[in-house]
Amino acid sequence: MLARIIQGILILALSANAYAKKKPQYFKQTEFETAIEITHPIMTANFVGDQQQEILLIGLNEKAEKVMEIYGLNSETAKFDLITQVEIPSSTIAFDLLANQKGNTRALLLSNSELSLVNFETTMVTSLAELDSIYLVDEPQFVTRKRLVKDLNDDGLDDIHVTDFKKLKVLVQQSNGEFLANDLPVGARVDMERNEISFSEEQFYLADTNFDQLTDMIVIEDGKMMVYEQLKDGKFSELRNAILLPENVSGMPWWMLKGADGESRDQSDLKHKKVEKIQDFNGDNITDLMVLNTQSNGVLDRENRYEIFYGQNENGLLSFPKEMNTQISAEGTLSGLQVIDSNKDGRQEILVSSFDIGVSQIIGALMSGSIDQDVYLFSLDSDDNYQEEPLFEEEVDLNFSLSSGRAGQPVILAADFNGDGFKEIMLSASEKRLSIHTGDDSEDMFKSRTKTHRLVLPQDGSMLSSADLNNDEKSEVIVRYGKQDDEELRKKIIVLSAK
């Protein structure tokens, strides 16, 4: 009798597995291989002046030279072809992407004394401006992606910002393609250790702080928002105004704050609040403040939450209340914050991950090679409070290898894949399967049934990215592989498009 029961269970399990394999794929899949060793995240933009976006790969060729490659979709063959390859000058320290006034995107290259532009249509590298910066390397070992480009004044044109030791160098793009210099007195961030001093970019934020419909630049300093107001010509004032932050809110992470002895703060009794985001969360067109509140009673006993302070118009100036208006919290340590508007109503949902780092979880992780990680989506109610219970909750695995010393990452990606105006949430369900939670206009924001797509996933889930390559309002998913993956996969690129 027992043998028949076991046999029946096995038959059911095999049948369920066979059904899962027959379940239709959610995406159409296109793939191509490159000859270079890919070293950087994939980027997409309109590089060659057509109506579609192309794929930019950065890596090493067979001579170990650093190169950029552009791949575009061939409409006749429905395959991706190599359009051009450009060698990166050996003096390049960092790069970013810059769109000109015509909408064509160039690569912006930074050396220790110069900014240059790469035109992918001509493969020419031309000098844009000479400048000093904190990057004092003649022949860097590698090239890094730096956020050097942003539309600072919200005029639809990309601008450039580069950090120097005592000032922020800003180049404001004009409608004719020229750039106006606009240096601001924002120096580099200094991190002092006992035996060394390091310099990094000071973080800044953009928001309208005086309700003149112009975006201002903000730096956090000594419990205040230091505001450089935008002028009518699109440049920023070198004089600054101060807006008080709620009590004990800092602009720096806790591990960068040192005591009088030069040591980092004691984690056995740690309380720290840091500015995380400055943007409108509840859709009232007034800038709000998100603060990360971290409390720790030890390395393995840490909690954090995100607190929201809704902005107010006080006599034409932005202000914040002393106490938070609402918060996002969950068991464990929150990370991987994404602020998304799932249904385009102007009110922001919060997508976060959570995991426990207690002793029992560490022991279990060492035995299994993975840590359970919860994914939550929180939404606003009618009173502009983020609900205590998440609207969406799923579990993914974070894998790691003790032998290689590398940790993997689950896939957590939010985008509109089917073009219906509602964002989907894509998660890794296993090493060879994606789970797609499709968005809709219901109160729950997601359909009850999930879709699946089967493929070998990279160990690092952040190697999946999304972009609308053909301007059909459907985001494609672009997959690449890295050093943790099998060697035969490392030069392969997969593009997933909704059917």
Side-chain angles (χ1 to χ4, degrees):
M1 183 66 179
L2 178 61
R4 289 184 178 180
I5 293 175
I6 294 174
Q7 184 180 21
I9 293 172
L10 289 173
I11 291 173
L12 287 172
L14 290 171
S15 299
N17 187 48
Y19 172 77
K21 290 183 178 179
K22 292 179 181 178
K23 196 172 182 179
Q25 296 276 68
Y26 182 72
F27 293 105
K28 295 181 293 184
Q29 185 166 312
T30 307
E31 57 186 64
F32 64 93
E33 291 197 7
T34 176
I36 66 173
E37 177 190 344
I38 304 171
T39 55
H40 288 67
I42 290 174
M43 286 160 285
T44 61
N46 184 351
F47 294 107
V48 295
D50 58 10
Q51 298 302 312
Q52 301 191 63
Q53 293 194 39
E54 290 77 40
I55 293 174
L56 170 62
L57 304 180
I58 297 178
L60 301 175
N61 62 16
E62 67 278 359
K63 298 179 181 179
E65 298 166 331
K66 293 174 284 222
V67 295
M68 294 180 169
E69 288 189 340
I70 302 294
Y71 283 82
L73 182 64
N74 187 320
S75 58
E76 296 181 359
T77 64
K79 296 181 179 180
F80 284 86
D81 295 335
L82 175 63
I83 296 175
T84 189
Q85 184 186 90
V86 179
E87 185 176 341
I88 301 174
S90 60
S91 60
T92 302
I93 299 169
F95 72 96
D96 203 354
L97 301 181
L98 174 79
N100 62 18
Q101 79 279 13
K102 297 179 181 179
N104 297 335
T105 298
R106 310 288 187 244
L108 179 71
L109 307 182
L110 173 68
S111 69
N112 65 0
S113 60
E114 187 179 35
L115 284 170
S116 303
L117 286 175
V118 178
N119 185 327
F120 291 105
E121 295 177 280
T122 64
T123 71
M124 296 291 293
V125 181
T126 57
S127 176
L128 177 64
E130 294 184 357
L131 80 173
D132 297 321
S133 71
I134 61 173
Y135 314 105
L136 304 179
V137 184
D138 292 324
E139 297 283 337
Q141 297 181 21
F142 63 93
V143 179
T144 184
R145 170 79 185 273
K146 289 286 185 185
R147 300 296 179 179
L148 305 171
V149 174
K150 194 175 183 67
D151 181 4
L152 299 174
N153 54 10
D154 200 27
D155 63 352
L157 298 172
D158 281 349
D159 308 305
I160 301 170
H161 56 91
V162 179
T163 299
D164 198 0
F165 291 101
K166 292 186 177 181
K167 57 186 173 181
L168 180 68
K169 295 178 176 294
V170 177
L171 297 176
V172 181
Q173 187 171 181
Q174 306 298 295
S175 58
N176 61 0
E178 300 293 324
F179 289 85
L180 290 181
N182 182 199
D183 292 352
L184 298 176
V186 180
R189 178 177 288 184
V190 182
D191 185 19
M192 294 181 59
E193 300 287 347
R194 287 186 172 181
N195 299 318
E196 63 181 32
I197 297 177
S198 61
F199 299 87
S200 60
E201 303 90 347
E202 182 65 78
Q203 186 172 5
F204 63 85
Y205 305 85
L206 299 172
D208 181 6
T209 63
N210 56 358
F211 301 93
D212 62 354
Q213 307 302 312
L214 297 176
T215 301
D216 309 312
M217 186 177 292
I218 303 166
V219 177
I220 308 302
E221 185 179 305
D222 297 328
K224 302 181 185 70
M225 289 171 50
M226 308 308 299
V227 179
Y228 299 86
E229 293 184 354
Q230 185 184 155
L231 305 174
K232 292 182 178 180
D233 62 358
K235 297 171 69 175
F236 295 90
S237 172
E238 295 185 19
L239 302 177
R240 59 187 192 173
N241 302 319
I243 295 176
L244 287 176
L245 290 170
E247 190 175 2
N248 297 322
V249 173
S250 171
M252 299 179 68
W254 63 265
W255 57 85
M256 289 189 68
L257 300 177
K258 305 293 192 297
D261 57 358
E263 297 291 337
S264 298
R265 295 178 63 178
D266 185 358
Q267 295 185 52
S268 64
D269 184 21
L270 174 67
K271 295 180 180 180
H272 184 69
K273 294 183 178 183
K274 175 193 171 293
V275 172
E276 192 72 17
K277 299 278 186 182
I278 298 177
Q279 67 176 85
D280 181 13
F281 286 91
N282 60 351
D284 64 355
N285 295 317
I286 299 178
T287 299
D288 307 314
L289 173 69
M290 174 184 276
V291 171
L292 175 61
N293 187 339
T294 301
Q295 298 185 35
S296 172
N297 294 317
V299 175
L300 302 180
D301 185 9
R302 183 181 304 159
E303 295 181 354
N304 58 9
R305 64 175 181 266
Y306 295 100
E307 300 176 347
I308 310 295
F309 298 77
Y310 288 134
Q312 303 166 350
N313 184 341
E314 190 172 301
N315 299 320
L317 292 175
L318 182 66
S319 67
F320 299 102
K322 294 181 179 180
E323 302 294 332
M324 67 178 179
N325 296 100
T326 184
Q327 66 176 358
I328 296 99
S329 62
E331 292 185 7
T333 300
L334 298 180
S335 63
L337 172 72
Q338 296 183 51
V339 179
I340 61 175
D341 185 358
S342 298
N343 54 4
K344 296 185 178 179
D345 65 352
R347 292 155 60 83
Q348 306 302 312
E349 284 74 48
I350 306 298
L351 184 65
V352 292
S353 302
S354 173
F355 59 91
D356 291 326
I357 53 173
V359 174
S360 60
Q361 285 78 18
I362 292 176
I363 293 174
L366 291 174
M367 296 178 64
S368 65
S370 67
I371 298 174
D372 292 337
Q373 189 169 340
D374 295 313
V375 180
Y376 300 116
L377 183 74
F378 292 91
S379 64
L380 285 167
D381 63 19
S382 57
D383 295 321
D384 286 349
N385 292 316
Y386 281 100
Q387 301 178 51
E388 291 186 13
E389 295 298 322
L391 185 70
F392 172 93
E393 180 178 352
E394 288 291 331
E395 186 177 284
V396 293
D397 287 333
L398 189 157
N399 299 312
F400 63 92
S401 170
L402 290 176
S403 59
S404 67
R406 294 178 179 270
Q409 292 289 337
V411 176
I412 305 174
L413 189 62
D416 182 6
F417 301 123
N418 56 16
D420 64 355
F422 303 101
K423 282 188 170 60
E424 281 70 56
I425 294 181
M426 174 188 288
L427 304 174
S428 47
S430 69
E431 294 181 352
K432 296 183 179 181
R433 185 164 60 91
L434 290 167
S435 175
I436 300 98
H437 303 261
T438 52
D440 62 16
D441 60 354
S442 67
E443 186 177 351
D444 294 334
M445 291 189 184
F446 296 95
K447 296 178 180 177
S448 57
R449 285 192 172 186
T450 60
K451 306 293 185 179
T452 61
H453 189 86
R454 298 176 300 279
L455 80 161
V456 177
L457 296 176
Q459 292 295 315
D460 184 354
S462 66
M463 292 190 176
L464 275 74
S465 58
S466 65
D468 182 3
L469 295 177
N470 55 0
N471 297 320
D472 62 354
E473 298 185 350
K474 299 179 182 180
S475 290
E476 279 72 41
V477 180
I478 307 168
V479 185
R480 78 175 183 98
Y481 298 88
K483 291 184 177 180
Q484 300 181 68
D485 303 301
D486 293 340
E487 188 171 353
E488 63 267 20
L489 296 172
R490 295 177 192 171
K491 295 184 177 181
K492 178 181 290 188
I493 305 296
I494 298 176
V495 179
L496 306 177
S497 305
K499 297 179 180 178

